[in-house]
Every structure is written in structure tokens, then in C-alpha cells.
Amino acid sequence: MEVYHGYSNKKDNEIAEEILNILKWNLNILQEKLVIKVLGGWIYLDGTLDWNYQRESANMAMSNISGVKGVINNIKIKSELKNPVEKEAIEKAFIRNWALNYDSIYVDVSGCKVTLRGTVDSFYEKEEAERIAWNTLGVCAVNNELSIRYLA
């Protein structure tokens, strides 16, 4: 759950109208795959999308509406891909990324779910590793268990 505090007192139907306009113009969000409710200034997002960037795009678009108290994002990712996610594809993407110390990141794949373990040097590296995993074809969930190694 992510909470955003708006400074206006819009009615739920006004927020809903704004949501429809946003969805109409945002090509990253497939509105026919979403169920959206507005209750007491809170937006509830449900449904299934193919990619995590679509879920993040929906969350970001809703959070920018004035008068919104918060967004409850329950959107699930379900890939159309029938083959399992390839661990090697994620590891090769880590190697190609100059910002990661990939030697200390371990990838486990179970179906379409990816778990990242090991240590990284910064919060940025942790987020970057997760972003790369999400961008791999077929991934439906990422469990980021990377710990940050703080240097004294």
C-alpha cells in the first residue's frame, strides 16, 4: 500500500472521472484489464496485467490525482509466457549492467517467480537488481532478499 495525501476535497465521482481520463490517454495501462474503485478518496486497483511496469504506471498515475488519500494496488502480474523464466537471462542482464556488482547476487527461479539473494553495496543496486529481474520476460513476482553491505 502506498499513501499519498491530497490537499483538495474532491468527491469520489470526480476522482473516478479523472481516473477514466488518465486511463484513456496512458498507453502503458490496459484499462480493460483493471477494476478500479474509489471509496472515501482511496483508490483500489485490482486486476491482472502482463508486466510490472504497467502496474507501476497505474500506481503512479493514480497517485498524482489531487484529492486522493491513497492507492491500494492489488494488481497481479500474470505473464502470457508458457515457458519458465530463464535464470541465465536474468544473470546475463546483471552482467550487462555496469551499476551492479553481480558476483554477489544469486538468482533462484521457480516457475515465473524470481528470488534474489546475496549482498550489494547500496540501496540503488538492490533496486536496480529487482528492476532488471522484473524486466525479464515471463516474470510474475520478484522476492528481493538482497541485503546491503554497509562499509564502515
Side-chain angles (χ1 to χ4, degrees):
M1 174 179 86
E2 298 189 35
V3 178
Y4 309 94
H5 297 286
Y7 294 102
S8 71
N9 289 325
K10 283 187 179 176
K11 295 179 180 170
D12 288 349
N13 64 335
E14 294 172 316
I15 294 172
E17 276 183 43
E18 201 163 334
I19 289 170
L20 290 175
N21 285 329
I22 288 170
L23 291 175
K24 190 184 309 179
W25 295 105
N26 190 326
L27 299 176
N28 289 330
I29 306 170
L30 304 171
Q31 77 181 81
E32 65 274 3
K33 292 188 170 190
L34 298 179
V35 175
I36 301 171
K37 297 177 191 168
V38 182
L39 297 169
W42 286 84
I43 299 174
Y44 296 84
L45 302 175
D46 286 292
T48 304
L49 295 171
D50 298 325
W51 293 93
N52 188 58
Y53 79 86
Q54 294 169 318
R55 175 173 54 188
E56 289 177 359
S57 184
N59 201 72
M60 175 118 20
M62 301 304 122
S63 68
N64 290 324
I65 299 172
S66 67
V68 171
K69 293 179 182 173
V71 178
I72 309 294
N73 191 339
N74 294 318
I75 297 172
K76 305 286 185 258
I77 305 300
K78 180 172 170 116
S79 175
E80 300 286 324
L81 190 67
K82 302 299 180 211
N83 298 328
V85 174
E86 293 186 26
K87 175 181 173 181
E88 291 174 6
I90 297 169
E91 291 171 338
K92 286 179 181 177
F94 286 165
I95 291 169
R96 288 190 303 269
N97 189 299
W98 62 270
L100 289 179
N101 180 5
Y102 60 87
D103 289 337
S104 60
I105 300 174
Y106 305 97
V107 179
D108 290 323
V109 176
S110 177
C112 66
K113 297 177 182 180
V114 175
T115 300
L116 304 176
R117 292 187 176 92
T119 56
V120 291
D121 293 327
S122 67
F123 187 70
Y124 173 79
E125 278 188 80
K126 181 176 180 169
E127 285 187 326
E128 186 68 3
E130 183 174 335
R131 184 191 66 76
I132 289 169
W134 270 118
N135 286 337
T136 304
L137 186 64
V139 171
C140 65
V142 175
N143 182 17
N144 190 344
E145 296 179 3
L146 291 170
S147 54
I148 301 170
R149 171 181 36 234
Y150 292 101
L151 304 174

